[in-house]
């Protein structure tokens, strides 16, 4: 009953009559209502389908969201052939956009069909065309998804220092007013020229001590604050509990305050201590604002260097700087659960490379390592020189890659992650950047508790003949 229809399909057009009749007798008609799923991503495939009428949507889950890869509506189009050809789970889901009729071929009938040279050639052309289209589409999607993830990470990293700067700016006006009031009260007193000179020295010391802050443990700080608070209470100075922390921040101990009592009269001492505390608070807040602004500047500079804006594609690259910038950009993903250990060679030479794409290599490998460890563990990054090559090793202590998967991890669309998490292109892109674009090599060694990606990069890749990659 399907002979006339299939004879018009290029895939079947040149089959001998007996073969076409055999396929028609074994084909099964499949009817789908609009919105009904034909098969799900990740499922096992043993059937290929020939579209008779209707429209189908090809959908792939990437990082928890559906991505529409294609709409198939041409009568005679084949659906689901890839899983049969490569003996792999379904790479995407298929569902009916409209009421749809198809013919289902079991994998053995499908293989029988491909024994015909013309059908095999047509199938090869179809598969290659779809593969290139899907890879191109998902590559752009992967780039956009990675950009979104990096943007979210950068926003998270910028949020804390920006909040500190904003908070400090809001507090600074009140503290300056308090410092001015304390300064005015102090200079209303009858101070000698020697005492006024001493105040200038104290103000300078407050600024220097804020910059070179004394390192104290929480217990040491608490003990000093308690001691100063009691000492101030004994001399009838109000608000000692507010003044003591600021004085400790300035490095003052009881013996320092005792020395001041010998320079200033008892009536001068309470205004003097309040003035010192206000000076310390202002300088401390300015230092906090400065640290926040510096942190923002560091992140922006790291991002600029990471993407190498306004620079030529091929540059002289410091591999260590690229690794460090990548770690900074990914810090929100690393979180508190991942420890990074750097074992950098001190004499590693700079190399000629496509800098931003090389940073994408580090991003993909480190990002995969964090996912494999489920956000808990250690990443060790090593570097060394081997002749005219630079070698970078990125090792994690995660569960490892199963042996049967290690030979395929750089294949397009291959992933060990569950359906919907990742496109299966990250390591494929990494391979192409290292091997095809930089004429280097990338290897993986894995066992439970130790997975190491080893990247070989020529110091000058333009001097490496094609096909002469390391290893």
């Amino acid at each position: 009953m399907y002979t006339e229809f299939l004879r018009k399909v290029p895939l079947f057009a040149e089959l001998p009559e007996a073969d076409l009749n055999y396929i028609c007798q074994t084909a099964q008609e499949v009817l789908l209502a609009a919105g009904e799923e034909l098969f799900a991503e990740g499922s096992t495939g043993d059937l290929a389908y020939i579209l008779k009428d209707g429209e189908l949507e090809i959908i792939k889950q990437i990082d928890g969201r559906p991505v529409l890869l294609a709409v198939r509506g041409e009568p005679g189009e084949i659906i689901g052939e890839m899983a049969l050809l490569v003996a792999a789970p379904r790479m995407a889901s298929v569902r009916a956009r409209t009421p749809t009729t198809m013919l289902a071929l079991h994998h053995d009938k499908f293989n029988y069909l491909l024994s015909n040279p013309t059908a095999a050639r047509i199938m090869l052309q179809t598969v290659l065309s779809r593969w290139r289209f899907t890879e191109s589409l998902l590559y752009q999607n992967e780039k956009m998804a990675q950009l979104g993830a990096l943007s979210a990470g950068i926003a998270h990293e910028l949020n804390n220092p920006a909040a500190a700067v904003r908070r400090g700016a809001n507090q600074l006006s009140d503290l300056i007013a308090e410092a001015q009031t304390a300064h005015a009260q102090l200079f209303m007193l009858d101070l000698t020229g020697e005492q006024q000179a001493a105040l200038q020295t104290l103000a300078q010391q407050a600024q220097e001590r804020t910059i070179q802050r004394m390192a104290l443990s929480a217990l040491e700080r608490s003990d000093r604050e308690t001691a100063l608070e009691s000492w101030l209470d004994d001399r009838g100075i109000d608000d000692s509990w507010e003044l003591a922390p600021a004085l400790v921040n300035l490095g003052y101990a009881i013996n320092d305050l005792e020395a001041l009592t010998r320079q200033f009269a008892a009536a001068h001492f309470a205004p003097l201590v309040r003035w010192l505390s206000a000076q310390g608070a202002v300088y401390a807040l300015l230092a906090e604002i400065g640290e926040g602004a510096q942190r923002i500047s560091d992140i922006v500079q790291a991002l600029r260097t990471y993407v190498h804006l306004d620079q030529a594609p091929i540059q002289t690259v410091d591999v260590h700087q690229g690794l460090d910038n990548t770690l900074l950009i990914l810090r929100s993903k690393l979180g508190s659960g991942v420890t990074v250990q750097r074992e950098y060679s001190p004499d590693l030479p700079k190399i000629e490379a496509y800098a931003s794409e090389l940073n994408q290599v580090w991003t993909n490998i480190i990002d995969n390592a964090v996912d494999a460890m489920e956000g808990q563990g250690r990443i060790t990054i090593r570097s060394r020189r081997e002749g005219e090559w630079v070698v970078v090793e990125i090792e994690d202590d995660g569960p490892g890659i199963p042996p049967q998967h290690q030979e395929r991890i750089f294949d397009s669309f291959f992933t060990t992650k569950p359906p919907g998490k990742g496109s299966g292109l990250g390591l494929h892109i990494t391979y192409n950047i290292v091997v095809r674009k930089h004429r280097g090599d990338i290897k993986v060694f894995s066992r439970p508790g130790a997975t190491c990606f080893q990247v070989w990069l020529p110091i000058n890749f333009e001097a490496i003949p094609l096909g002469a990659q390391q290893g």
Side-chain angles (χ1 to χ4, degrees):
M1 59 183 293
Y2 307 119
T3 306
E4 184 177 349
F5 164 68
L6 290 180
R7 183 62 76 186
K8 297 176 182 179
V9 176
L11 189 63
F12 301 89
E14 296 190 20
L15 284 181
E17 193 70 25
D19 290 344
L20 185 61
N21 289 333
Y22 170 69
I23 288 176
C24 288
Q25 290 169 7
T26 56
Q28 303 171 5
E29 187 176 69
V30 177
L31 302 176
L32 292 180
E36 187 177 354
E37 186 174 73
L38 177 62
F39 54 74
E41 181 179 349
S43 62
T44 301
D46 60 355
L47 294 173
Y49 301 87
I50 310 299
L51 182 63
K52 191 169 185 296
D53 56 63
E55 284 189 340
L56 296 168
E57 295 178 332
I58 316 299
I59 300 169
K60 187 172 182 62
Q61 291 286 329
I62 300 179
D63 295 329
R65 60 188 181 86
V67 175
L68 179 64
L69 299 182
V71 175
R72 308 287 185 206
E74 186 72 23
E77 284 199 87
I78 189 164
I79 305 296
E81 78 288 352
M82 193 66 70
L84 275 65
L85 290 172
V86 298
R90 302 287 191 186
M91 293 191 302
S93 299
V94 175
R95 71 184 179 197
R97 173 174 278 195
T98 64
T100 300
T101 304
M102 291 169 295
L103 302 180
L105 298 180
H106 197 267
H107 69 88
D108 58 346
K109 307 304 185 295
F110 181 73
N111 291 338
Y112 179 77
L113 170 65
L114 295 183
S115 64
N116 180 278
T118 301
R121 176 175 51 80
I122 294 172
M123 179 55 60
L124 178 62
Q125 292 172 345
T126 300
V127 168
L128 286 177
S129 175
R130 289 182 179 178
W131 192 281
R132 291 191 186 105
F133 173 79
T134 303
E135 186 175 83
S136 175
L137 179 66
L138 289 181
Y139 177 75
Q140 294 302 320
N141 187 82
E142 178 89 4
K143 294 282 285 184
M144 293 303 296
Q146 189 177 76
L147 179 61
L150 290 177
S151 298
I154 291 297
H156 179 81
E157 285 298 307
L158 288 173
N159 184 62
N160 288 339
V165 170
R166 184 174 61 250
R167 181 176 61 250
N170 291 336
Q171 296 174 351
L172 190 59
S173 59
D174 293 337
L175 283 176
I176 289 176
E178 291 178 14
Q180 289 174 336
T181 300
H183 187 271
Q185 291 175 348
L186 188 59
F187 276 85
M188 288 173 59
L189 303 173
D190 186 17
L191 298 177
T192 66
E194 183 179 350
Q195 289 173 327
Q196 291 179 6
L199 288 180
Q200 293 180 352
T201 301
L202 291 172
Q204 184 177 352
Q205 288 177 349
Q207 186 174 11
E208 292 172 352
R209 290 180 176 182
T210 301
I211 296 173
Q212 301 173 349
R213 193 174 302 174
M214 184 182 299
L216 295 173
S217 68
L219 182 59
E220 290 173 328
R221 180 177 296 277
S222 176
D223 289 344
R224 285 199 177 203
E225 289 178 3
T226 301
L228 285 185
E229 187 176 337
S230 298
W231 189 91
L232 294 172
D233 284 338
D234 291 344
R235 280 146 189 81
I237 298 176
D238 297 335
D239 300 330
S240 61
W241 59 277
E242 288 185 340
L243 301 175
L247 293 174
V248 170
N249 286 338
L250 291 174
Y252 281 95
I254 290 177
N255 60 327
D256 299 309
L257 296 183
E258 293 281 3
L260 290 179
T261 61
R262 294 190 287 271
Q263 288 181 278
F264 295 89
H268 300 161
F269 201 73
L272 173 65
V273 171
R274 291 192 176 90
W275 173 79
L276 274 175
S277 176
Q279 290 286 312
V282 168
Y283 286 132
L285 196 55
L286 284 172
E288 182 180 331
I289 292 173
E291 289 173 2
Q294 183 61 50
R295 177 64 182 157
I296 292 172
S297 177
D298 290 344
I299 294 171
V300 171
Q301 181 58 38
L303 181 61
R304 183 181 179 85
T305 305
Y306 177 86
V307 297
H308 289 262
L309 296 175
D310 304 324
Q311 297 185 32
I314 301 177
Q315 302 149 41
T316 301
V317 174
D318 183 334
V319 173
H320 291 161
Q321 184 182 43
L323 286 163
D324 288 341
N325 287 335
T326 301
L327 290 170
L328 179 59
I329 298 299
L330 292 177
R331 192 161 72 170
S332 62
K333 174 147 192 176
L334 296 173
S336 59
V338 177
T339 303
V340 178
Q341 180 175 324
R342 297 170 175 87
E343 298 178 4
Y344 292 167
S345 170
D347 57 352
L348 195 73
K350 294 183 178 180
I351 67 172
E352 296 298 311
Y354 295 91
S356 61
E357 295 193 43
L358 201 54
N359 287 337
Q360 188 179 356
V361 168
W362 313 137
T363 300
N364 288 342
I365 295 175
I366 294 171
D367 186 72
N368 275 355
V370 176
D371 285 342
M373 297 186 298
E374 298 184 346
Q376 298 290 327
R378 176 185 295 274
I379 294 175
T380 303
I381 304 178
R382 308 181 188 93
S383 66
R384 67 179 186 274
R385 178 174 183 168
E386 293 278 352
E388 294 305 308
W389 300 81
V390 160
V391 183
V392 175
E393 294 181 344
I394 301 176
E395 181 177 312
D396 68 73
D397 60 358
I401 303 170
Q404 67 270 25
H405 293 159
Q406 292 180 26
E407 293 184 359
R408 298 192 60 197
I409 59 171
F410 298 116
D411 290 353
S412 182
F413 306 123
F414 180 79
T415 178
T416 59
K417 297 176 182 178
K421 189 171 178 59
S423 64
L425 279 178
L427 289 179
H428 177 66
I429 293 170
T430 295
Y431 181 89
N432 284 338
I433 292 172
V434 173
V435 177
R436 304 190 187 282
K437 201 151 192 178
H438 289 87
R439 304 182 189 178
D441 197 11
I442 181 169
K443 308 172 185 177
V444 63
F445 307 95
S446 184
R447 56 181 174 78
T451 295
C452 180
F453 282 84
Q454 190 180 84
V455 178
W456 291 72
L457 295 165
I459 295 174
N460 181 6
F461 76 87
E462 293 183 311
I464 302 293
L466 285 173
Q469 288 90 340
Q470 174 65 31

